[in-house]
Amino acid sequence: MNIVRPVTPRGRYHHGDLANALTTAATQLARDGGPEAVVLREAARSVGVSATAAYRHFAGHGDLMHAVKECAQGALADRMRAELAASPADPDPRREAVRRLEAIGMGYIGFALDEPGLFRTAFCRADKGFEEAAASMANSPAFQLLGEALDALAETGLLPAERRPHAELFAWSSTHGLAMLLLDGPLSELPGPDRELVIARTLQGVLDGLIGLTDHSGLD
Amino acid sequence: MNIVRPVTPRGRYHHGDLANALTTAATQLARDGGPEAVVLREAARSVGVSATAAYRHFAGHGDLMHAVKECAQGALADRMRAELAASPADPDPRREAVRRLEAIGMGYIGFALDEPGLFRTAFCRADKGFEEAAASMANSPAFQLLGEALDALAETGLLPAERRPHAELFAWSSTHGLAMLLLDGPLSELPGPDRELVIARTLQGVLDGLIGLTDHSGLD
DNA sequence: TGTACATCAGTGAACGCGCGTTCACTGATGTAC
DNA sequence: TGTACATCAGTGAACGCGCGTTCACTGATGTAC
């Protein structure tokens, strides 16, 4: 799994794509053990290269970590998109907007549960310059996906215009918090069925919090 | 600040209350630098005792960490209770239930913002046996405070009985997620006023998610 | 087309760090007689 | 009340660990002439 190629194609001294190989290896470490497991020397080892070689491609550990974090954030966004594509679009615009929001939320939670190591890494504070990164998360693909879904919801009128501002933050907070509590908090040992229920209940609460009422005429 | 006493009262060899002194010192480390800053040797140093002495009172670093974590969780609950006591009770039961819920949420968020190191420590996974601890968080004072507030809300009828189950998890998830995003996420660099707004908007969303509608006759 | 040479991308040995933890110990305390 | 002695609560030196990082280096590559 960690071995990228047994023998590199071009002469085995120059790797050819070491930056990517290291990022991939380090991301695998994060997948298996979370952000703390991302160790520069270990990544180099698993690629079959000296630790020093990494310094040709990364400024240091923090820089490698940053690359891994971006990978993890990308994987999260991929999962959300996949979940979005997994169910067919609904012809009714309102139901479609709701479906999108639910799919996005389920993708987020699903990723956290299936890839806890990567999920934690995506939100860790161990990388170089994580403060600017945190601020720029508002421009991340995952966040934009959410913004678009909320726009769609607003267009149908389900989300009143005056509640549109900051709506992504409420939706994100709730979903993110649920993921955290499922991973590290009191929900971590919940049996499967209960877990499903809690997730459904919470995502329903998010939707209610957005649109204001539980029952909407013609919905469901 | 870290120096507990220049000379201990009882002969300077036997400390007398070393376990507490170490916990206090270690908690101060957590306050200043988060869970990563909790270093057994440093705590011993700041108490003025050899690192080895700690092993008379704690099984090891993980055990000390655990004590610190309990302190941090206690401080969070204290803050929530303080916020609860800061505004007067409302004679109207429905408004009172809402006030309690808001105070609890504000206390939670306020603690996260004022004591980020302790807040992170309260939810870190670095202590000994954190898995059982995570599960038992459902019995923590903070969680019970929330449960009581939701019971009160349910009694007034504002929270329909069929939505009472798992309601604390939705409320907690949302508030917790907001705190996380404020500390480490895209909201970390938000200017003060915007921050207030986002917080208000999100807590309002939580309430709406719980009770289903925005406007309730006679409320406000 | 061949060759000189700058540059690029690796190597391996070594360092310092600060931690958690163990060890054999010693000074202080308090209890049995 | 005094004393012997078990126990308790500290000490200081030392270890091993594995990391990130630096250093002086060398083998491979590709370009100018």
Side-chain angles (χ1 to χ4, degrees):
Chain A
M1 196 78 176
N2 281 335
I3 297 147
V4 176
R5 305 188 201 93
V7 173
T8 57
R10 33 188 321 187
R12 93 191 54 74
Y13 191 95
H14 281 195
H15 182 281
D17 195 24
L18 188 50
N20 280 327
L22 283 172
T23 304
T24 302
T27 301
Q28 185 61 41
L29 294 177
R31 174 176 285 119
D32 294 339
E36 307 82 15
V38 176
V39 166
L40 184 144
R41 295 180 84 110
E42 177 67 24
R45 225 173 281 138
S46 83
V47 171
V49 107
S50 74
T52 323
Y55 288 82
R56 291 287 157 200
H57 303 275
F58 298 94
H61 175 263
D63 197 21
L64 174 62
M65 194 72 198
H66 184 71
V68 172
K69 194 168 162 178
E70 285 191 330
C71 269
Q73 289 181 357
L76 168 60
D78 287 348
R79 170 64 183 261
M80 289 163 71
R81 272 188 285 262
E83 201 82 18
L84 212 43
S87 59
D90 195 300
D92 177 77
R94 296 206 291 170
R95 276 200 295 254
E96 170 63 6
V98 169
R99 180 193 74 87
R100 281 176 66 180
L101 218 46
E102 280 172 348
I104 285 176
M106 284 306 297
Y108 198 93
I109 300 294
F111 184 77
L113 292 177
D114 293 347
E115 296 282 11
L118 288 185
F119 183 80
R120 286 199 191 96
T121 305
F123 294 99
C124 76
R125 42 204 326 270
D127 63 321
K128 181 184 177 179
F130 85 94
E131 300 199 357
E132 311 87 76
S136 81
M137 247 165 63
N139 305 320
S140 72
F143 194 75
Q144 287 184 338
L145 231 45
L146 175 59
E148 291 162 15
L150 288 174
D151 285 342
L153 195 69
E155 276 168 28
T156 66
L158 270 183
L159 172 61
E162 75 274 12
R163 324 185 88 220
R164 177 66 188 81
H166 298 127
E168 37 269 270
L169 292 173
F170 164 65
W172 194 357
S173 290
S174 304
T175 313
H176 187 69
L178 177 59
M180 297 303 274
L181 295 186
L182 284 168
L183 288 188
D184 296 341
L187 282 54
S188 56
E189 315 230 308
L190 217 59
D194 289 357
R195 168 173 292 196
E196 299 296 319
L197 220 112
V198 165
I199 294 173
R201 173 72 183 83
T202 302
L203 291 186
Q204 182 61 48
V206 175
L207 199 59
D208 290 346
L210 285 170
I211 63 190
L213 8 147
T214 310
D215 288 327
H216 301 275
S217 51
L219 211 61
D220 290 338
Chain B
M1 196 75 178
N2 280 336
I3 298 149
V4 176
R5 307 188 201 92
V7 172
T8 57
R10 36 188 320 187
R12 92 192 54 73
Y13 192 95
H14 280 195
H15 182 282
D17 194 24
L18 188 50
N20 280 327
L22 284 171
T23 304
T24 302
T27 301
Q28 185 60 41
L29 295 176
R31 173 176 286 119
D32 294 340
E36 307 82 17
V38 176
V39 167
L40 184 145
R41 295 181 83 111
E42 178 67 24
R45 223 173 281 139
S46 83
V47 171
V49 107
S50 74
T52 323
Y55 287 82
R56 290 286 159 200
H57 304 275
F58 298 95
H61 175 263
D63 197 22
L64 174 61
M65 195 72 198
H66 185 71
V68 172
K69 195 168 163 180
E70 285 191 330
C71 269
Q73 289 181 358
L76 168 60
D78 287 347
R79 171 63 183 263
M80 289 163 70
R81 272 188 284 261
E83 201 82 18
L84 212 44
S87 59
D90 196 300
D92 178 77
R94 295 206 295 170
R95 277 201 293 253
E96 170 63 6
V98 169
R99 181 194 73 87
R100 281 175 66 179
L101 218 46
E102 279 172 349
I104 285 175
M106 284 307 297
Y108 199 93
I109 301 293
F111 183 77
L113 292 177
D114 293 346
E115 296 282 12
L118 288 185
F119 182 80
R120 284 198 193 95
T121 305
F123 295 98
C124 77
R125 43 203 327 271
D127 62 321
K128 178 184 178 180
F130 85 92
E131 300 198 356
E132 309 89 74
S136 79
M137 247 166 63
N139 305 321
S140 71
F143 193 75
Q144 287 182 339
L145 231 46
L146 175 59
E148 291 161 15
L150 288 174
D151 284 343
L153 195 69
E155 275 168 29
T156 67
L158 271 182
L159 173 60
E162 75 273 13
R163 323 186 90 221
R164 177 65 188 81
H166 298 128
E168 37 268 273
L169 292 172
F170 165 64
W172 193 358
S173 289
S174 304
T175 313
H176 187 69
L178 176 60
M180 296 303 274
L181 295 184
L182 284 168
L183 288 187
D184 296 341
L187 281 55
S188 56
E189 316 230 308
L190 217 59
D194 288 357
R195 168 172 292 196
E196 300 296 319
L197 220 111
V198 165
I199 293 172
R201 173 73 182 82
T202 302
L203 291 186
Q204 182 62 49
V206 176
L207 199 59
D208 290 346
L210 284 171
I211 64 190
L213 3 151
T214 309
D215 288 326
H216 301 276
S217 51
L219 212 62
D220 291 338

